[in-house]
Structure formats: C-alpha cells, structure tokens
Amino acid sequence: MKHRYDFCRLAVCLLWASVGCTGAPSESPAPTPALSPVALAPAGIRRLTGAEYDRAASALLGQTVTPSRAWPAETPQNGFTRQRGQVVEALLASALDDGAQALAAQALAAGFADEWTCTATEDACATRMVRELGSRAFRRAPTEAETQRYLAVLRAGQSEAEPGQELALLLRALLQSPGMLYVTELGGASEGGAVLLDDDELASALSFGVA
C-alpha cells in the first residue's frame, strides 16, 4: 500500500510541475487584447494602369490588344503603378487618342461591325448598341445621360463618307471615356467606417485582381 501511496504522490507532483509547480495551478490565460482596426484604403477613383487598360480594351473589342505599350512610362508610387496618383497628362491623352483610332480601325477590319446589323438611324437598335458597348467599356451599365451622349457620337459618325465610321467613332470615344479610363471604389454604403463596394465595383476589383 505504501508503494501505491508514493506513486500517487509522485504523479501529483509531476502534475503540479507541468502547470507551474509550486502553489495552486495558474488561472486561465488572460483574453487576447482586441486588435487595432486595420487601416483601410480610402474610397475614391483611380486611373487604370496600363496593364488594366489593356485588359479592359480587350474585353470591349473581343480580341487581345496591348495599346499601353505606346503609353509614356508610368510613375510608380512606393513601387506600385496601381495608385491614385496616376493622371491623364498631355502625352498620355495624345497616346490614348492615337491608340483609340488604331484600335477602332483594327476592330472594324477584323469584322467587329458584323456583330451589329443595324444603323445609327434605327433608334432602338442604336440605343442597344450604345448600352451594350458602354457596359463593356465602363464595366457597368451606362447611365441614361451617358447613353444619350454616346448616341450623339454614333449619329455624328454618319456624316463620314466611309460606311461603318459611325461605329469607329463610337469605339474611339469609348476607349478614351472617363468610364473606361477610371475605376471607382466609392461604394454605395458604409459599415463601421468601411465603405462597401457595390456589385459593379466589386466585380471590377475581382476581375482586375485575378486577371
């Protein structure tokens, strides 16, 4: 019986040793302090990088294009070209216009106009054309004001002597439009200080993040 008692005492001592040894076992560990709020990027609007613009233009035209190769060199900020400091300066504006003209001509030569069987004089069809191409360019549905603005561009192209130039003019305008060049991260609501992106903004963020 004595051996059994000694064995029990040894087991108890080992147990106390494993939890801190002398005295009673330590209390439960203190709860982990709450983490400081994560610093969130401010809501805003930023210009697409060259790589992002190439992907957006390719989605609009249905073929892989890389117009940003003709852009002036982008200025990184903290090592990143994707930032809100990027603007459209004179050299970039000129490169955008030259590129938009070339891309429109290239698209028409590749049969882009075959997708559209109506003319700018057919109101319903012209409106559908502007809304669909505008949605591709802006990565969201165009507003009514935007629809009317680009319908006017489409119809202005009818004065050109060469057939199909109304579509070329529309593409040229869309490729340089603010909706094409800029991505918004403004959100439609906020929660706890964080801006909640709307569905279109979230889709843009995901597509540019994984493409």
Side-chain angles (χ1 to χ4, degrees):
M1 179 66 79
K2 183 177 184 302
H3 293 298
R4 183 177 178 183
Y5 174 73
D6 290 341
F7 176 78
C8 291
R9 288 184 62 191
L10 177 61
V12 171
C13 287
L14 290 174
L15 176 61
W16 286 126
S18 68
V19 296
C21 188
T22 60
S26 61
E27 298 179 355
S28 300
T32 303
L35 297 176
S36 301
V38 177
L40 300 175
I45 302 173
R46 66 174 181 83
R47 201 205 76 200
L48 297 181
T49 66
E52 289 172 332
Y53 181 84
D54 289 346
R55 293 196 290 271
S58 298
L60 170 60
L61 301 174
Q63 56 181 300
T64 301
V65 294
T66 54
S68 72
R69 291 181 178 179
W71 286 13
E74 296 180 286
T75 303
Q77 187 178 81
N78 297 323
F80 295 93
T81 55
R82 182 176 180 176
Q83 34 92 5
R84 290 186 171 84
Q86 299 283 25
V87 296
V88 179
E89 297 174 335
L91 286 176
L92 177 56
S94 178
L96 281 167
D97 187 45
D98 291 343
Q101 292 186 63
L103 289 174
Q106 177 183 327
L108 292 182
F112 187 84
D114 297 343
E115 184 178 346
W116 309 101
T117 58
C118 61
T119 66
T121 57
E122 301 173 36
D123 288 345
C125 187
T127 300
R128 179 178 64 84
M129 183 190 302
V130 167
R131 285 177 175 164
E132 183 168 333
L133 293 178
S135 294
R136 294 186 199 176
F138 306 157
R139 303 168 295 280
R140 58 168 174 78
T143 64
E144 183 58 30
E146 288 169 331
T147 299
Q148 294 304 315
R149 184 182 309 138
Y150 291 101
L151 271 173
V153 171
L154 184 68
R155 288 167 179 150
Q158 288 183 288
S159 61
E160 300 289 338
E162 189 176 347
Q165 286 309 296
E166 64 269 23
L167 182 54
L169 189 62
L170 174 62
L171 290 176
R172 179 180 171 186
L174 290 174
L175 284 162
Q176 302 176 76
S177 64
M180 174 82 172
L181 282 168
Y182 288 87
V183 59
T184 65
E185 297 169 341
L186 299 173
S190 62
E191 183 176 290
V195 170
L196 303 179
L197 301 183
D198 64 29
D199 291 345
D200 292 323
E201 291 172 331
L202 185 58
S204 288
L206 290 173
S207 65
F208 287 132
V210 303

